[in-house]
Amino acid sequence: MPTILYRHDQNISPADVMKIAVYAEHVGRQCYDVFAEDGSRTRSEALSRRAQAVSDSLDFGDEPYFSLETTKKVLDLRDMVSGMCFDRFGERGHMGKSMDLLGMAQDVDDVLDKLAVYHLSPEELEKAEAAWAHEGQFFPTANESRDAFD
C-alpha cells in the first residue's frame, strides 16, 4: 500500500473546495453501491455517511485549509466511489459512471494532488511498472495508430 504524505503548504482555493463539495453532493444524491438480484439499487449507509462527512468538514472560507482528517475523508470517499459505485443505469441492468461523475472525479484528483503525495515502496513500484507494461501491450503504438488511417 502506498505511503501517503500530507502537505501542509496546500495552495487551495475556494473553487477547489467547491469541486469537492459538488462531488460529495452528487455522490450523496445520485450514486448507488448496493445492487439486488431483482435489479433494484440502494445507497449504503457507509456511502451516505462518507459523502455527508466530507460535506460537513469542508472549509468555505476565503483562505480554505484541508485538515488531515478532512483529506482522509475525501480520500476515503474517492476510493469508495471509484469502485462499485455508479450513477448511470440503462436497460438490462447496465451500470456505469456518467461523464459528469468522471469529470468530478478528475477534479477531486486534481485537488488531492495539492493535498497529498503518494510514495510507492520499491516492490510496489516494480508491481506497478509490470502492470503498466502488461496493459501497454493492448494499446496501439504510434505507428499502428497512423496505419489505421492510411
Side-chain angles (χ1 to χ4, degrees):
M1 185 149 200
T3 301
I4 301 173
L5 302 175
Y6 299 96
R7 298 179 191 231
H8 297 290
D9 182 22
Q10 297 178 340
N11 193 24
I12 298 297
S13 71
D16 292 329
V17 176
M18 282 306 299
K19 289 175 185 177
I20 302 292
V22 168
Y23 178 74
E25 180 72 18
H26 181 84
V27 168
R29 292 184 187 264
Q30 302 294 324
C31 292
Y32 297 90
D33 63 338
V34 178
F35 307 97
E37 299 257 342
D38 66 0
S40 64
R41 59 187 180 256
T42 57
R43 188 172 301 106
S44 69
E45 184 64 29
L47 180 60
S48 295
R49 270 185 284 139
R50 286 183 184 178
Q52 189 61 50
V54 167
S55 294
D56 291 346
S57 65
L58 295 176
D59 175 4
F60 289 97
D62 290 337
E63 295 182 27
Y65 182 80
F66 279 75
S67 68
L68 176 63
E69 292 79 24
T70 300
T71 302
K72 286 181 180 179
K73 289 175 185 177
V74 174
L75 283 166
D76 287 344
L77 180 62
R78 194 262 332 251
D79 290 345
M80 187 172 203
V81 172
S82 67
M84 293 297 293
C85 185
F86 304 100
D87 69 337
R88 185 168 174 239
F89 305 92
E91 296 178 18
R92 298 183 185 161
H94 177 275
M95 300 179 291
K97 294 182 187 332
S98 68
M99 291 305 290
D100 287 342
L101 180 58
L102 294 173
M104 287 182 254
Q106 182 59 55
D107 289 344
V108 168
D109 285 344
D110 293 344
V111 174
L112 285 170
D113 284 345
K114 297 178 182 181
L115 301 173
V117 177
Y118 299 88
H119 287 282
L120 299 176
S121 69
E123 296 82 24
E124 290 169 326
L125 186 58
E126 185 177 318
K127 285 173 88 175
E129 287 173 348
W132 276 107
H134 174 73
E135 293 296 322
Q137 70 184 343
F138 300 108
F139 294 105
T141 63
N143 290 336
E144 290 171 342
S145 296
R146 263 189 248 123
D147 292 343
F149 292 106
D150 290 339

